[in-house]
Amino acid sequence: MAVRPRSAVREGALKKEWRYLILDGYVDEPASLGVPPYISPQVRSLAGGLVNGGADPGEVGYLTVDQWRGIRGRGDWNVDPKLEFIIAIKGCVVPGKYLRGTPISSREIAELTASVKDASIVLWGSGSYMDGIEGDPGVLGENIASEGNLSSRDRTMEEWGTNLRSGAFIIQLHPDFPTPLIAEIETSRGCPRYMSGGCSFCIEPTKGPVQFREPQDIASEVAELADRGLENIRIGGQSDLVSYMTKEAGISETPTPDPRALTEMMTGCRKALHSGPGLISALEAGRRLGIDTGIVHTDNANPAVIADHPDEAMEALGAIAMNCTPGSVLALGLESADPAVKEANNLNSDPGQTMEAIRAINAVGRHIGGNGMPQLLPGLNFLGGLKGQYEGSFEHDLALLERVRTEGLLLRRINIRAAMYPRPGGAAAPSFPDGRAERAFRSFKEGVRGSFDSHLLSQVIPEHTLLKGVYLETTLGRSVYGRQIGSYPVLVRMDHPGPTGTFADVHITGISGRSVSGFGSPFMVNRVPFSHLLAIPGIGRKRAASVFRKRPIDMEYLGRELGIDRRVLADIRTER
Ligand code: SF4
């Protein structure tokens, strides 16, 4: 797709009653996502900390950085003297390309600081090589609101849950509330591999021993969010969902899963979300559970844990598949299939373990759910610029993908990014030994995008799939673009206009790279404008003109006279 569609941002405005403004510059860490339509736990925790430190919820404001850009662009960035603190959150460790938001840049932080005189600017940075205050955002909020103290520390287990619950109110200020907003839910912190230092590029092991939130603690936070009108969650705040609450944390780097605890947590979250008032009124308004609302998705699993404990892992994966809504993903961090790179970077799994994990997730999750997507699929993450990676390394990666293709396994997505290592006095950067390695990485990436992505997507979403619950986000030319709500949704182009901010079901007729296209269903062939008729596959301008002239037409005319595929006809209606 030549031009990348971008969603419009709902405008924001400064409110006079705000004493504290959370400026969300977005978080995208290996174990936490907070780029719209996601709201991060860090933001909610900070809001809760402010309230627990004595602020009234009405005094706590929230703007995304995209809203701030809009306000500044309109010349309305006039900070009221009542605003005492602006707390900017910044945490995109390995920034990707996002459809709904652009993370705050260092230049913008400098501009922000220069533009404000009366308020204190506090920058909270996630990750050890971010500028700004570290420690827990909830504790920072408490310190600011109680004593005006701009410092933080690690939280206690109690502070973790309490601040998240108290900060649930902030979701209502998010521009994507109530839909397509998704709250990222944290289940644990740290990585079981901290004992060996973990993977060379990752910040998670710096957080120390793994801490798990109890199932009831997580479910009660989801209940609080649901009470405030939240409709969708992603249980993505962990290094590995499968080993949730394992008793072997700190003992083994590939601990035995505890399927009972995982089932309790997943069931509790689903039930809490699905009993919320926001969801109930969405259902009353005709939206469909697990399709347009009530999404429960997941992220992050360690392939080595799945491969090393096949029985417990299958039980755990079964619990995940049963409690999530269709279209969910478990992203597997292989990073590199080159054994020498695995060694040099202390990576967590090898290609054999990764294949085992891909097979196991396919076994429990590849059946099609109510929204047209497989219930639960693996994703696969690769990194370039790892230590010791040279041009030959990427051949190992391609060989693994070839195995996936040959075995007919489904992969929801292949994520390829550059590793970022901190550099003294400079911006974080990948560690390519030379230009050849860097070029090989780029050509690996292009090769995957060129040959694997379309193939994999055609297996996951074959032509004539009816993808339900596509949230239409933006119009470009005569087409409208949207995505289903949830984990790593596929970009869907509808080949005729449609109202943004609404849900549509799309009959898929084409696949291009990492996106799909089609026409809206039901397609009212006797009512739509002429130009919409061109979205019927194989019709062409001439036959569309004859359909237009002859309207009203019937199915027989479309099928017999025009030879339209009967699978296409299944989503066409002839009512006038
Ligand atoms: S397995 Fe590696 S990448 Fe994943 S959280 Fe642990 S250290 Fe980070």
Side-chain angles (χ1 to χ4, degrees), residues 30 190-193 197-199 201-205 239 302 335 346 348:
C191 171
R193 306 191 62 241
C199 307
F201 58 89
C202 183
I203 59 166
E204 213 52 28
S239 60
N302 182 341
E335 321 307 355
N346 191 29
N348 66 342

Side-chain angles (χ1 to χ4, degrees), residues 17-221:
E17 59 270 27
W18 289 349
R19 287 177 63 205
Y20 310 91
L21 170 62
I22 299 173
L23 183 68
D24 193 352
Y26 308 141
V27 172
D28 185 0
E29 291 180 9
S32 187
L33 181 59
V35 183
Y38 286 84
I39 184 164
S40 66
Q42 287 88 338
V43 162
R44 305 192 310 270
S45 205
L46 172 58
L50 287 165
V51 169
N52 290 329
D56 184 277
E59 296 173 332
V60 181
Y62 172 86
L63 290 173
T64 65
V65 62
D66 287 291
Q67 289 180 307
W68 172 73
R69 289 182 190 117
I71 295 173
R72 192 189 50 174
R74 296 196 299 273
D76 290 343
W77 180 243
N78 301 315
V79 174
D80 191 278
K82 209 173 162 205
L83 188 65
E84 293 169 33
F85 294 92
I86 299 173
I87 308 138
I89 293 230
K90 177 178 190 257
C92 286
V93 178
V94 188
K97 283 186 188 147
Y98 311 98
L99 184 67
R100 263 188 116 72
T102 305
I104 198 165
S105 67
S106 306
R107 185 180 50 77
E108 286 175 321
I109 287 167
E111 269 178 47
L112 173 72
T113 312
S115 71
V116 178
K117 291 189 183 58
D118 297 324
S120 292
I121 307 271
V122 186
L123 176 63
W124 180 84
S126 119
S128 54
Y129 42 92
M130 290 287 169
D131 326 318
I133 291 171
E134 289 182 41
D136 179 62
V139 173
L140 174 66
E142 274 187 79
N143 287 347
I144 289 176
S146 60
E147 307 161 5
N149 173 358
L150 312 184
S151 69
S152 186
R153 57 167 166 76
D154 272 354
R155 63 197 159 199
T156 62
M157 289 304 289
E158 201 191 326
E159 284 168 335
W160 190 359
T162 306
N163 283 334
L164 279 170
R165 273 186 292 278
S166 304
F169 73 94
I170 207 74
I171 61 167
Q172 296 181 333
L173 300 184
H174 194 284
D176 286 336
F177 178 83
T179 196
L181 186 70
I182 309 166
E184 176 87 314
I185 302 297
E186 279 181 318
T187 66
S188 65
R189 175 182 197 256
C191 171
R193 306 191 62 241
Y194 81 98
M195 300 182 296
S196 69
C199 307
S200 65
F201 58 89
C202 183
I203 59 166
E204 213 52 28
T206 62
K207 298 176 181 170
V210 191
Q211 293 175 308
F212 294 109
R213 294 176 70 196
E214 293 286 333
Q216 309 86 307
D217 180 40
I218 303 171
S220 69
E221 185 207 350

Side-chain angles (χ1 to χ4, degrees), residues 503-517:
F503 288 91
D505 296 346
V506 181
H507 180 118
I508 300 306
T509 57
I511 292 167
S512 155
R514 297 208 283 174
S515 63
V516 295
S517 58

Side-chain angles (χ1 to χ4, degrees), residues 265-349:
M265 184 272 288
M266 293 280 308
T267 313
C269 288
R270 181 173 49 80
K271 284 190 177 156
L273 184 74
H274 289 178
S275 338
L279 200 123
I280 289 165
S281 50
L283 295 177
E284 281 167 2
R287 289 202 270 133
R288 300 156 294 181
L289 189 67
I291 296 176
D292 315 303
T293 188
I295 306 303
V296 178
H297 276 187
T298 56
D299 194 17
N300 293 338
N302 182 341
V305 167
I306 297 173
D308 286 3
H309 307 282
D311 295 341
E312 294 85 353
M314 282 309 274
E315 216 183 307
L317 292 174
I320 296 170
M322 193 175 302
N323 284 290
C324 67
T325 55
S328 190
V329 179
L330 285 174
L332 305 173
L334 169 68
E335 321 307 355
S336 171
D338 180 343
V341 176
K342 176 182 186 298
E343 195 66 30
N345 294 274
N346 191 29
L347 301 180
N348 66 342
S349 58

